[in-house]
Amino acid sequence: MSTHDAAPETPGPETPVRFDTKIVVLLREDLETWQRLNVTAFLVSGLGNQFPEVIGEPYEDADAVGYLPMFRQPVLVFEGTKETLTTAHARVLSRALPRALFTSDLFTTGNDRDNRAAVRSVATADLDLVGLAVYGPKNAVDKVLKGARMHP
């Protein structure tokens, strides 16, 4: 049997894991550092609930102390202008990809109920986006992010 006919090897613990999906956060470039961190945390918080496949196994240290499971794959963070976010938002909607948004109004609210009311009170085209999270197939997510750059 030639090497081309050989059955593929079973991946071992050293084999890198490749994902056919991406988790991405796009932030508006003019945010303060604390805002970038806050927006990122809020945006990704809903993914595990809606898409349990993105969550890995729980962690445990050498002393058998347990820790919560986290995303099984990296979260890539990008930045762009207000226009970049508006364009990305239109693209994500046209592709019907799972998404989360954060608007500038949410910096002035203090609870989840008021956050939802603030978003609900603004038409889609008028949302003042400061952050967007997207989850989906790599190629579709890449198309949504066209024009954005990796966060420094």
Side-chain angles (χ1 to χ4, degrees):
M1 171 170 13
S2 76
T3 56
H4 295 290
D5 297 330
E9 291 184 36
T10 303
E14 314 277 317
T15 306
V17 177
R18 304 278 183 230
F19 300 101
D20 59 356
T21 58
K22 274 188 174 178
I23 299 171
V24 173
V25 172
L26 175 59
L27 301 171
R28 202 164 78 191
E29 64 187 2
D30 61 348
L31 296 180
E32 299 289 330
T33 301
W34 74 267
Q35 291 173 318
R36 290 171 185 256
L37 296 169
N38 184 266
V39 170
T40 301
F42 268 96
L43 286 173
V44 299
S45 68
L47 283 175
N49 184 40
Q50 293 296 309
F51 303 96
E53 69 272 13
V54 301
I55 303 297
E57 297 296 319
Y59 286 74
E60 185 176 285
D61 66 25
D63 295 322
V65 174
Y67 302 92
L68 295 172
M70 297 184 285
F71 290 131
R72 66 184 179 121
Q73 65 190 90
V75 175
L76 304 173
V77 181
F78 288 76
E79 68 176 7
T81 63
K82 182 175 183 172
E83 293 75 23
T84 302
L85 260 89
T86 300
T87 301
H89 184 241
R91 289 176 182 153
V92 78
L93 293 176
S94 72
R95 287 170 172 77
L97 291 171
R99 69 262 173 198
L101 80 153
F102 200 104
T103 66
S104 62
D105 296 332
L106 302 187
F107 290 126
T108 63
T109 59
N111 62 73
D112 190 46
R113 183 186 64 240
D114 291 344
N115 286 349
R116 288 192 313 279
V119 172
R120 190 178 306 109
S121 70
V122 180
T124 304
D126 297 327
L127 291 168
D128 185 17
L129 297 167
V130 298
L132 185 66
V134 182
Y135 171 68
K138 280 184 179 182
N139 61 346
V141 173
D142 288 342
K143 289 176 183 172
V144 166
L145 291 174
K146 188 175 180 183
R149 60 191 173 280
M150 284 294 288
H151 190 282

